[in-house]
Amino acid sequence: MNLAPTVQFRASPVTFRGPPTRAAAARGGGRGGGGEGPIASSKATSSTGSAPSRRTRRPCMSRRSVVVAATSSTGGGGVFVRRLRFAATGAILCFTGVGSAVSFHALHRGGIQSIGAAISSVTVPAPKASGSSSSGGSQVASVRQLSATQPISGGGGGGGGRGIALTAGSFLGFGAAAAGGFTTSAAEASGTGDGDMGGATVIGLGARADHSWLAQLTADPETARFAPNRSSRQVKSGHYVRVAPSPLTAPRLVIHSPAMAASLGITEEDVASPAFSAFFSGDAAVVPGMETWATPYALSIMGKRQTSNCPFGNGNGYGDGRAVSVGEVVVEGRRWEMQLKGGGPTPFCRGADGRAVLRSSIREFLASEAMHNLNVSTTRALSLVVSEGGDVVRRPWYKPEDAITGGRDKISMDDPRLARFDEATRRQIIRQAASQQRDPDVMVVEACAITTRVAPSFTRIGHLDLFSRRAATAGPGTPQHRELEQMVRHAIFREFPEVLEAHPGPGGEGGEAGAAGGVAPEAAAAFLRASAAAISDMVAGWLRVGFCQGNFNADNCLVGGRTMDYGPFGWMDAYDPLFAKWVGSGEHFAFMNQPGAGVANFAVLAASVAPLLQGGEAEAQRIVVEAQGVMDAAVADMWRRKLGLAADAPDARAAAAALFDDHLEPLMRAGAAEVDYTLMWRQLAEVAALPQDAADADLFAPLRAAFYSAPDAAEVANWTAFLRRWRGTIGGDGAEAAARVRAESPKYILREWMLVEAYTAAKERGDFTLTHELFDLTAAPYAEGSDAMAAKYYRRAPDAALNAGGTAFMS
């Protein structure tokens, strides 16, 4: 179709500057629903102008390349012209309209501002009907002429003597009018790249939007009554509340994931634009066509449903306290949802400020992408933006001396009070003493930041848990029961669409139908089994790489088995089966107990879906029993792979289980000398590669670097006996076994002391060098890396890090 709109307007002379510089800044945040503590200061305001450029200014010339694209809503028939891009410079002017009423918008550091315009004509034929499940389609306009014939008036342009000045620092700022105008002609859209609104660039994300959560589920009926929905209140029904994020003041991009940006179709040029920083710091108006919302869900801990966490005592106030979804897009056939963590208060903030801070934002950004590169299913991180305009909050944390020494009352190994105990007992006493000093002891002021996390879906077990509770109270045939059915069907649609294709359900049309129709009992059962497998694979992956989630409640467990909520997480240094960073983890969320916590979460999911199963609760219980077997098998197969046993080896899982449970795990746990989990596993590859006739001393030598203190002769003998037994079990080619071990045991993980160094440099000096260095390091965690990186990061944790507040543990 030939779309040829003609847009006529008059503007002041246009000044072009060089491309915007890349920004680098960071994020952090307290844990829990909506953040904690009051906003201490939010005084700074963003400027609509841009900082002076060091590049030479060039006057605008006529006949510059211009790209215009148009999209049309099939629902209302109105034409929405999205943007005008000056391709030679990357400057963008957005304008939207219905019929002949068109308004212009300037992108600048503060977001999007209306300029206003009198338009003589905008002519775009209606687009072809779209076959997608979204409410609108899009077509690309081929622009033949753009002439300056009509004056700009009204709006943010100030009218009269003010016009548009295109600048690098703020895509469109405002400058004094000067004589003359400009005419650009003979330009046309190529249908690809920046000119193609079908491509998911920053501004073009709206053209690829497909908000299935809003289209398929039910809105809170009291949204309008409580607008703008930025304070704690009861949400008694509905799957979402429309709430706009609260933008950061003077946002600065700290770091982004090029891989994740590419998956969204966002180019590196787009990432460098102010539009990117603005949108992903909460200025939702920058990208027309996107929607924003927050969701309610319930809390269950180890299978027990809770309401005490809710400020109203009934579960109606719990949900996304500081996470705001800013849209779903479909790019190259794959759906992505984007969510701002630290996006400001929502109805579920429980009286808190809804903000995240730089410290925890750096941790979450780096951990999300590191986990992805470790080949463990996870939500992703797109970007980290920090406020440089005074948005700060107060958070409880640990005194600097505690972060270094572990507290003023730290007990050391040579403490005379411990002289009568052996080394292993002394270490245990020290750990127990440290656990009693774990509460933060100072309030610190931290800059607000936002991490944008991305996933195919953020559907939590807690979502289904909430609507199951409401359906159980109301009974069959009620709106509450219908909302449960909608929630289950949407979860299947988002995570396991093949289930809907196989079992469309009454009134449904397969995977394309989304929430249309009901949920067939067969679909409900297949959904549960698929979720059990995904959760099991995720948890087994955590054990494989030494990760403890720390707060593995049902609301922090996605039905698709994807790691999320990087709050009190941690990678383990010295092996401890009860390791956890968060002081509130208890033993139930400790490292080696995570499989049990995963099954407990799944039991909540099964109970929530039970009303839709043919056999009801009895069938749900049978599926939970199956899930326990699935979890056990996933963990057993992980140990097989990690120990380097080939899949086709006779009784490989059983042999691996015997090696680990009866020999290796007791050695790691009970030895007087603590052993580093990551180093020990990685160094096993060196042992596997040794000649068959290697001497005992040679067998143990590769492991010595993994111990935090020198093992005695008896301990060395025990380890050597295990190594000989293990080498006899793996058999065959030692080089092949070594390669299998390296493929499952990373060389580089995000140890907490590394993260502390990175966010401390960022907070205290504005230096993000270490943040970027750790991002690069964990991009290839199984590679050997450079000698410099190995010397710096492939080593045991410093002794102080094993006991320091905020490093060894956190609240």
Side-chain angles (χ1 to χ4, degrees), residues 572-575 674-681 705-708 751 795-797:
M572 185 162 52
D573 291 309
Y575 175 74
E674 292 181 307
V675 63
D676 190 273
Y677 188 80
T678 298
L679 266 62
M680 187 278 297
W681 281 106
F707 287 86
Y708 282 87
R751 298 176 185 269
R795 61 186 180 91
R796 301 186 305 268

Side-chain angles (χ1 to χ4, degrees), residues 177-198:
F182 70 90
T183 300
T184 305
S185 60
E188 59 183 327
S190 65
T192 60
D194 293 329
D196 183 1
M197 288 304 293

Side-chain angles (χ1 to χ4, degrees), residues 508-795:
E509 302 174 8
E512 293 295 322
V519 177
E522 298 84 358
F527 163 58
L528 287 177
R529 291 186 170 93
S531 181
I535 293 170
S536 297
D537 286 345
M538 173 188 70
V539 173
W542 293 351
L543 300 185
R544 181 174 61 80
V545 300
F547 176 84
C548 183
Q549 199 272 354
N551 191 29
F552 197 28
N553 301 322
D555 64 312
N556 289 329
C557 184
L558 299 185
V559 299
R562 197 173 292 115
T563 313
M564 75 161 300
D565 191 45
Y566 288 92
F569 72 87
W571 271 271
M572 185 162 52
D573 291 309
Y575 175 74
D576 180 355
L578 298 182
F579 162 79
K581 289 287 183 189
W582 184 38
V583 299
S585 293
E587 292 188 0
H588 48 281
F589 292 149
F591 177 69
M592 287 294 284
N593 289 335
Q594 291 180 115
V599 174
N601 289 338
F602 178 78
V604 174
L605 178 63
S608 301
V609 177
L612 307 183
L613 295 171
Q614 186 71 43
E617 292 183 3
E619 183 177 358
Q621 186 56 46
R622 289 195 296 272
I623 294 176
V624 171
V625 173
E626 290 179 25
Q628 180 66 68
V630 172
M631 179 69 75
D632 292 344
V635 171
D637 194 61
M638 179 275 297
W639 293 130
R640 174 195 64 77
R641 300 194 315 271
K642 198 163 176 67
L643 283 163
L645 276 67
D648 58 357
D651 300 320
R653 282 188 185 176
L659 281 170
F660 183 79
D661 294 339
D662 299 337
H663 301 282
L664 180 55
E665 198 282 332
L667 278 174
M668 292 191 295
R669 169 171 42 86
E674 292 181 307
V675 63
D676 190 273
Y677 188 80
T678 298
L679 266 62
M680 187 278 297
W681 281 106
R682 183 75 178 190
Q683 291 301 110
L684 279 183
E686 304 302 318
V687 179
L690 291 172
Q692 289 296 319
D693 58 353
D696 287 356
D698 294 331
L699 285 180
F700 185 74
L703 297 188
R704 283 194 179 276
F707 287 86
Y708 282 87
S709 60
D712 59 26
E715 197 165 357
V716 170
N718 290 335
W719 274 94
T720 303
F722 160 74
L723 294 174
R724 288 211 174 276
R725 181 188 298 271
W726 170 63
R727 280 164 52 93
T729 302
I730 59 176
D733 189 328
E736 291 182 0
R740 290 194 294 268
V741 171
R742 292 190 186 100
E744 302 293 337
S745 298
K747 183 170 184 177
Y748 302 106
I749 58 169
L750 279 177
R751 298 176 185 269
E752 194 64 30
W753 65 268
M754 300 178 186
L755 291 167
V756 171
E757 288 186 353
Y759 69 64
T760 299
K763 288 169 52 180
E764 296 182 356
R765 302 186 298 278
D767 182 354
F768 297 97
T769 303
L770 285 177
T771 300
H772 285 270
E773 183 170 284
L774 292 180
F775 180 72
D776 293 339
L777 177 76
T778 54
Y782 297 96
E784 292 302 318
S786 67
D787 290 344
M789 287 297 99
K792 188 173 184 179
Y793 294 119
Y794 186 56
R795 61 186 180 91

Side-chain angles (χ1 to χ4, degrees), residues 15-103:
T15 300
F16 291 90
R17 297 180 181 171
T21 58
R22 292 290 300 276
R27 141 199 182 190
R31 223 189 50 73
E36 300 174 4
I39 296 181
S41 172
S42 183
K43 297 178 181 178
T45 57
S46 60
S47 169
T48 57
S50 64
S53 172
R54 286 190 289 266
R55 293 178 180 266
T56 302
R57 298 179 62 172
R58 307 180 274 156
C60 174
M61 300 177 63
S62 63
R63 288 177 169 75
R64 282 195 178 277
S65 174
V66 178
V67 177
V68 173
T71 63
S72 174
S73 168
T74 58
V79 175
F80 297 88
V81 182
R82 298 294 186 189
R83 70 176 181 176
L84 172 69
R85 184 177 185 91
F86 292 80
T89 64
I92 294 177
L93 169 64
C94 288
F95 47 109
T96 62
V98 180
S100 62
V102 180
S103 62

Side-chain angles (χ1 to χ4, degrees), residues 179-382:
F182 70 90
T183 300
T184 305
S185 60
E188 59 183 327
S190 65
T192 60
D194 293 329
D196 183 1
M197 288 304 293
T201 60
V202 178
I203 307 304
L205 283 174
R208 303 297 291 273
D210 186 4
H211 301 115
S212 66
W213 192 282
L214 308 188
Q216 298 180 8
L217 299 176
T218 301
D220 164 41
E222 296 186 303
T223 293
R225 175 186 172 192
F226 291 101
N229 293 291
R230 286 178 174 167
S231 60
S232 179
R233 68 172 175 90
Q234 294 196 60
V235 178
K236 302 173 184 176
S237 65
H239 301 96
Y240 63 90
V241 179
R242 289 184 182 271
V243 56
S246 302
L248 294 177
T249 304
R252 177 191 177 194
L253 178 65
V254 170
I255 190 170
H256 77 286
S257 167
M260 189 66 252
S263 294
L264 293 170
I266 300 175
T267 68
E268 289 300 291
E269 178 188 9
D270 291 320
V271 171
S273 74
F276 184 93
S277 297
F279 182 71
F280 292 113
S281 64
D283 194 348
V286 166
V287 182
M290 301 301 280
E291 303 283 354
T292 62
W293 66 94
T295 65
Y297 46 81
L299 169 67
S300 289
I301 300 176
M302 290 303 293
K304 296 181 180 180
R305 286 172 163 167
Q306 310 286 325
T307 57
S308 59
N309 60 296
C310 171
F312 311 107
N314 55 14
N316 289 338
Y318 195 70
D320 291 325
R322 57 174 177 167
V324 180
S325 291
V326 292
E328 296 174 41
V329 295
V330 178
V331 182
E332 296 183 352
R334 187 167 190 186
R335 181 180 301 277
W336 297 103
E337 181 175 340
M338 296 162 287
Q339 195 173 81
L340 307 185
K341 186 167 182 180
T346 76
F348 314 106
C349 65
R350 292 178 278 165
D353 55 46
R355 287 304 192 189
V357 298
L358 183 59
R359 164 179 44 84
S360 63
S361 298
I362 288 176
R363 294 180 77 248
E364 174 142 3
F365 178 91
L366 291 175
S368 300
E369 290 302 279
M371 189 68 82
H372 171 72
N373 294 323
L374 287 166
N375 302 320
V376 179
S377 183
T378 180
T379 58
R380 301 288 301 280
L382 170 64

